[in-house]
Amino acid sequence: MRRFFHVVALLLLACAAIPGAAQDAPPEPASGAVEQLRHAVGLWNVETDFIAADGSVTRTLTGQYRFGWVVPDRVVSGMSTIPELNQASAILFFVRPSLNEIEMASVGADGHLWRMIGPDTSETRTTPNTAMADGSTLMLRFTRYDVERDRFRSRMEMSTDGGGTWRLGNRQRFVRAEEN
């Protein structure tokens, strides 16, 4: 179960980092997804509160995310780190204009690929129903909110019944960090 929460921690930190205010004028009108990618580029400090089933905070961890362009206005790669857990994950965000979607993929040390997809007009991404090693299934839903130029918040919800019901898994606070 501890490993499950480490994987979810990495995923949560990674997913929340897709966001909203354009920085440079694009060569074509920017979609909401492109604006979210532009906002994500850079270095972020993050605090994550893990939430128990009763709604109480069980643990708060700090970490960082760094994002940069691979293909301008289309693909961003990144890395999230959680020093207290001695863990890191690789992240890839990309837009699919033909489908009006934005997708995020994340892989940690365990090699499990998580995919979160949502409409390019939304701040919410959802994973498919995913089979876990213990035989259970899990869906995650990430929503970014209170988006400002240099900060935003996110929440991760979990469902073990295919999206029928959801419970809060964590809350995050992202603050843009100074680049060295």
Side-chain angles (χ1 to χ4, degrees), residues 65-88:
Y65 290 83
R66 179 179 297 277
F67 295 99
W69 290 110
V70 175
V71 178
D73 288 349
R74 290 295 178 260
V75 181
V76 168
S77 70
M79 180 175 170
S80 70
T81 57
I82 305 173
E84 187 175 341
L85 299 177
N86 193 30
Q87 291 189 4

Side-chain angles (χ1 to χ4, degrees), residues 48-105:
T48 303
D49 297 329
F50 292 90
I51 311 300
D54 67 2
S56 65
V57 175
T58 61
R59 189 174 189 186
T60 299
L61 296 176
T62 59
Q64 278 196 325
Y65 290 83
R66 179 179 297 277
F67 295 99
W69 290 110
V70 175
V71 178
D73 288 349
R74 290 295 178 260
V75 181
V76 168
S77 70
M79 180 175 170
S80 70
T81 57
I82 305 173
E84 187 175 341
L85 299 177
N86 193 30
Q87 291 189 4
S89 66
I91 305 159
L92 188 66
F93 289 108
F94 53 97
V95 295
R96 288 193 292 248
S98 64
L99 298 175
N100 298 320
E101 290 179 338
I102 186 168
E103 180 170 338
M104 180 249 162

Side-chain angles (χ1 to χ4, degrees), residues 137-154:
T137 59
L138 179 67
M139 288 179 72
L140 303 176
R141 179 169 64 190
F142 298 89
T143 303
R144 199 173 71 119
Y145 60 100
D146 290 345
V147 178
E148 298 177 20
R149 176 182 162 85
D150 293 322
R151 65 183 61 240
F152 64 92
R153 297 188 319 162
S154 72

Side-chain angles (χ1 to χ4, degrees), residues 28-41:
E28 60 186 76
S31 71
V34 171
E35 290 176 15
Q36 289 182 41
L37 293 179
R38 287 181 182 162
H39 186 263
V41 170

